[in-house]
C-alpha cells in the first residue's frame, strides 16, 4: 500500500487556508486534520514546512501535439512539463494530425496517453461542418466535451456553416468549448496588411489582424446561439474587455450554462511586449492592450471569468523564427502557469484562494470531473506543494517542454513548485520528475 503523510502544510481549499496534515493511502486522500501521526512504519513523510498545499491544477486547454506533430511536443514530454508546474490533469484539443473527429481517432489518443502520460488526461472530440453523427456517439462519461474552432485552425476543423453550427448546438448535451474569432474579419485584415508589408508583417500588427472586432463578432454570435438552443457553452481564451459583457457573475457556477476561460498569456503580456518578445508571444487570439489585460483581471476576480488555463501550444524555435505569415501561433506554458499566477499574487492582483478556485476547483466543477480539483477526503490525491518564497529563474536547461523555449525565459519567479502528487504518487520533487507515469483517464459525473 502506498502511504504518504504530508505534514505542516498551509492547505488551500474552497476559499480557506488552514494549517494541517494530510494522509494519502494508495491514490486517495483518506484524512485531513490539524495533526496526523503516522500509523505504520511504511508511511512516507513529506514535510511541507509551512508551504501551501493546493489541489493539482486542471488545465482545460492544451495542445500536446500527438499524434502527427510530435517534433513540437508529445503527450509524454508535455505532461512531464505539466506535473513539474503543478498541473496534474489536462484536457487536450483535437487539432492533432489527423484531427480527432471520429470516435476511432479520438480513442487512439487515449491509448497513447494510457502508456505515456505523467498527468491525468482527457481529450476533446473535434467538431466539423459534417461530423454530427460521430459527435453524437461521444460518451459524456469519459470524454471532456466537444471542441469547435470558429476561427482558422489546423486541417478541416473550421466550422463556418451556420446551419451545421446550429444543428450541433441543438443536438448534443456535451459541453461545447469554442475558439471564437470571426474568420472573414481576420482574412480581410490579413489581406490589408499583406498588401502593405508582404509576408514580413511586423508582429505588432497581430492584435490588429486578429482584432477585438474579430473576437467579439464570433463570441457574441456564439453566446446568442447557446442561449437560443440551450447548449452548454464554454468560451476559451477570452482576450478583450469588450467580450466580458457577454458573461455573468450574477449566478453560481453550478447554474451557469455559459462559462468563460482566460489564459495565462492574456493576463501576463500586452501589445507592448511584442517589441521584445516578437513571435514568441504570437497566440490566437492575440495578446491585446494593457487595458484589455486589466479588464480580464477584473473579470477573473469578480466571477465573469470562471477558469484560468494555458492553451499550451508548443512550436519549435525554427518555426517561431520565421516571418509573420509563416510563424505559427502558440507557445509552451504548462510548466510556468501556476507560478506565474503566484507571481500575480505577490503583485497584489489575485489571492491564493482565488488562484485555486480558477485553476483547480472551477475546471473540476464546470466539466463535472469526478473526485478531482479539491482537497477532500475520498478525492484523488492530486496535489502540489508551493513555496511562495523560493525564487528560481527560467533557463534553457530547466525547461521541460520538448520545444526547449519559454516566453518566460530569463524571468525569475518568486514561487516554486516543490512537490507534485498524481493519484497519490510523488511524481515531482526538487526539479526532478519521477519516471513513474501515474496519470489516469479522467471520468465525468454526467
Amino acid at each position: 500500500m502506498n502511504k504518504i503523510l504530508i505534514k505542516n502544510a498551509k492547505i488551500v481549499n474552497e476559499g480557506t487556508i488552514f494549517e494541517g496534515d494530510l494522509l494519502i493511502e494508495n491514490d486517495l486522500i483518506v484524512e485531513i486534520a490539524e495533526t496526523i501521526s503516522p500509523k505504520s512504519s511504511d508511511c512516507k513523510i513529506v514535510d511541507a514546512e509551512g508551504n501551501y498545499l493546493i489541489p493539482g491544477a486542471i488545465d482545460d486547454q492544451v495542445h500536446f501535439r500527438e499524434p502527427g506533430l510530435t517534433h513540437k511536443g508529445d503527450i509524454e514530454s508535455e505532461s512531464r512539463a505539466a506535473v513539474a508546474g503543478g498541473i496534474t490533469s489536462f484536457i487536450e484539443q483535437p487539432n492533432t494530425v489527423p484531427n480527432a473527429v471520429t470516435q476511432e481517432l479520438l480513442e487512439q489518443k487515449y491509448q497513447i496517453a494510457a502508456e505515456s502520460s505523467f498527468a491525468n488526461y482527457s481529450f476533446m472530440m473535434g467538431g466539423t461542418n459534417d461530423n454530427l453523427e460521430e459527435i453524437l456517439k461521444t460518451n459524456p462519461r469519459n470524454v471532456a466535451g466537444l471542441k469547435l474552432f470558429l476561427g482558422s485552425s489546423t486541417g478541416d476543423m473550421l466550422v463556418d456553416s451556420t446551419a451545421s453550427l446550429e444543428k450541433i448546438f441543438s443536438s448534443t448535451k456535451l459541453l461545447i468549448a469554442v475558439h471564437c474569432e470571426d474568420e472573414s474579419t481576420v482574412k480581410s485584415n490579413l489581406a490589408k496588411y499583406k498588401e502593405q508589408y508582404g509576408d514580413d508583417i511586423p508582429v505588432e500588427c497581430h492584435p490588429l489582424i486578429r482584432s477585438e472586432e474579430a473576437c467579439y463578432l464570433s463570441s457574441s454570435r456564439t453566446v446568442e446561439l447557446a442561449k437560443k438552443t440551450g447548449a452548454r457553452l464554454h468560451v476559451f481564451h477570452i482576450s478583450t474587455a469588450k467580450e466580458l459583457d457577454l458573461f455573468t457573475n450574477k449566478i453560481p457556477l453550478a447554474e451557469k450554462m455559459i462559462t468563460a476561460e482566460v489564459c495565462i498569456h492574456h493576463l501576463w503580456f500586452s501589445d507592448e511586449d511584442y517589441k521584445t518578445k516578437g513571435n514568441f508571444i504570437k497566440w490566437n487570439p492575440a495578446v491585446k492592450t494593457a487595458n484589455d489585460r486589466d479588464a480580464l483581471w477584473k473579470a477573473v476576480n469578480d466571477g465573469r471569468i470562471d477558469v484560468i488555463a494555458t492553451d499550451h501550444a508548443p512550436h519549435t524555435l525554427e518555426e517561431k523564427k520565421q516571418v509573420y505569415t509563416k510563424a505559427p501561433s502558440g507557445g509552451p506554458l504548462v510548466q510556468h502557469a501556476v507560478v506565474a499566477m503566484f507571481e500575480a499574487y505577490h503583485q497584489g492582483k489575485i489571492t491564493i484562494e482565488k488562484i485555486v478556485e480558477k485553476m483547480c476547483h472551477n475546471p473540476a466543477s464546470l466539466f463535472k470531473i469526478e473526485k478531482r480539483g479539491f482537497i477532500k477526503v475520498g478525492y484523488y490525491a492530486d496535489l502540489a506543494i508551493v513555496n511562495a518564497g523560493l525564487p528560481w529563474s527560467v533557463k534553457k536547461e530547466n525547461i521541460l517542454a520538448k520545444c526547449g523555449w519559454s516566453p518566460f525565459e530569463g524571468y525569475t519567479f518568486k514561487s516554486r513548485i516543490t512537490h507534485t502528487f498524481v493519484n497519490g504518487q510523488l511524481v515531482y520533487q526538487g526539479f526532478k520528475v519521477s519516471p513513474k507515469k501515474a496519470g489516469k483517464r479522467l471520468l465525468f459525473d454526467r
Side-chain angles (χ1 to χ4, degrees):
M1 179 179 280
N2 174 54
K3 293 181 183 178
I4 301 175
L5 176 58
I6 302 173
K7 299 283 294 179
N8 306 312
K10 291 178 182 173
I11 300 171
V12 189
N13 192 61
E14 296 184 288
T16 64
I17 300 176
F18 57 97
E19 295 188 11
D21 299 349
L22 181 146
L23 181 62
I24 299 165
E25 288 186 1
N26 293 330
D27 54 357
L28 300 177
I29 299 167
V30 296
E31 188 178 355
I32 304 165
E34 189 173 330
T35 303
I36 302 172
S37 299
K39 296 175 175 62
S40 61
S41 58
D42 61 345
C43 184
K44 177 181 174 67
I45 296 176
V46 175
D47 190 349
E49 298 177 328
N51 296 314
Y52 295 99
L53 180 65
I54 67 171
I58 299 170
D59 195 340
D60 78 350
Q61 187 190 183
V62 303
H63 303 265
F64 281 179
R65 304 305 191 196
E66 189 173 8
L69 300 164
T70 53
H71 66 287
K72 302 173 190 278
D74 55 50
I75 291 169
E76 181 174 5
S77 65
E78 308 314 285
S79 68
R80 180 191 287 113
V83 299
I87 292 171
T88 56
S89 298
F90 64 84
I91 298 173
E92 211 259 358
Q93 304 307 301
N95 57 331
T96 39
V97 180
N99 300 153
V101 295
T102 69
Q103 295 301 316
E104 182 183 5
L105 291 169
L106 179 63
E107 196 56 37
Q108 285 173 11
K109 294 176 76 168
Y110 281 103
Q111 290 168 9
I112 294 167
E115 299 293 325
S116 63
S117 186
F118 288 90
N120 304 309
Y121 50 88
S122 191
F123 297 91
M124 286 279 195
M125 177 65 179
T128 71
N129 283 326
D130 54 11
N131 76 332
L132 180 60
E133 188 176 333
E134 287 292 318
I135 290 169
L136 295 179
K137 295 176 187 174
T138 307
N139 183 353
R141 171 70 173 147
N142 62 15
V143 176
L146 172 67
K147 173 68 177 287
L148 302 179
F149 289 89
L150 309 183
S152 293
S153 65
T154 302
D156 184 33
M157 290 200 66
L158 176 64
V159 183
D160 55 0
S161 161
T162 302
S164 294
L165 196 59
E166 185 155 348
K167 186 71 172 170
I168 292 169
F169 270 60
S170 301
S171 302
T172 181
K173 295 298 182 186
L174 291 168
L175 179 146
I176 302 171
V178 288
H179 174 134
C180 286
E181 290 183 286
D182 182 66
E183 184 70 4
S184 60
T185 302
V186 172
K187 281 186 173 176
S188 173
N189 291 340
L190 180 60
K192 182 176 73 174
Y193 282 93
K194 278 192 79 169
E195 188 176 340
Q196 183 176 353
Y197 293 104
D199 284 329
D200 199 9
I201 299 169
V203 71
E204 289 87 347
C205 300
H206 190 54
L208 306 176
I209 294 169
R210 290 187 170 267
S211 61
E212 175 192 79
E213 180 192 19
C215 293
Y216 185 77
L217 275 173
S218 181
S219 54
S220 59
R221 280 197 299 255
T222 309
V223 166
E224 281 307 306
L225 181 58
K227 289 178 178 177
K228 175 182 174 182
T229 59
R232 173 67 184 90
L233 178 67
H234 185 50
V235 184
F236 277 156
H237 43 45
I238 296 296
S239 64
T240 73
K242 188 173 183 180
E243 291 170 281
L244 295 171
D245 291 338
L246 299 170
F247 306 101
T248 185
N249 56 4
K250 305 299 185 190
I251 57 175
L253 180 65
E255 296 176 21
K256 287 187 181 184
M257 290 296 287
I258 298 169
T259 50
E261 171 224 81
V262 69
C263 290
I264 299 293
H265 43 285
H266 293 123
L267 292 173
W268 187 279
F269 299 105
S270 79
D271 56 1
E272 297 162 15
D273 295 305
Y274 288 111
K275 291 192 292 289
T276 55
K277 296 287 185 179
N279 287 339
F280 295 110
I281 62 162
K282 185 188 179 199
W283 278 280
N284 299 339
V287 168
K288 297 189 173 68
T289 68
N291 286 338
D292 288 307
R293 180 178 60 192
D294 292 345
L296 293 171
W297 271 116
K298 185 175 181 185
V300 164
N301 282 300
D302 71 21
R304 284 172 292 163
I305 287 179
D306 304 290
V307 171
I308 298 171
T310 68
D311 195 14
H312 176 96
H315 300 284
T316 67
L317 277 168
E318 291 72 28
E319 290 167 333
K320 276 294 195 179
K321 287 177 179 176
Q322 297 177 101
V323 295
Y324 174 84
T325 56
K326 292 186 169 66
S329 294
L333 283 167
V334 289
Q335 189 177 350
H336 307 116
V338 173
V339 291
M341 289 301 96
F342 267 76
E343 199 76 1
Y345 153 71
H346 284 295
Q347 295 164 359
K349 294 177 180 175
I350 191 170
T351 65
I352 292 172
E353 297 94 322
K354 188 68 72 175
I355 293 170
V356 167
E357 177 189 326
K358 302 295 178 176
M359 299 187 81
C360 312
H361 299 338
N362 285 4
S365 296
L366 69 85
F367 281 92
K368 302 185 186 301
I369 301 173
E370 185 174 271
K371 296 199 299 186
R372 301 189 192 276
F374 295 83
I375 299 180
K376 292 181 176 180
V377 170
Y379 272 55
Y380 291 106
D382 297 338
L383 303 160
I385 298 175
V386 186
N387 185 327
L390 188 61
W392 67 288
S393 298
V394 180
K395 302 173 183 175
K396 280 242 184 288
E397 53 266 31
N398 60 32
I399 293 170
L400 295 182
K402 190 186 238 185
C403 65
W405 64 272
S406 166
F408 291 115
E409 207 165 321
Y411 192 85
T412 298
F413 288 110
K414 293 183 174 67
S415 305
R416 186 184 302 184
I417 308 296
T418 62
H419 302 71
T420 305
F421 304 82
V422 175
N423 295 307
Q425 301 291 322
L426 179 55
V427 297
Y428 174 79
Q429 181 178 5
F431 283 115
K432 292 183 180 176
V433 179
S434 160
K436 183 172 180 59
K437 297 178 177 74
K440 295 183 179 181
R441 184 171 182 158
L442 297 176
L443 296 175
F444 304 89
D445 287 321
R446 56 192 186 204

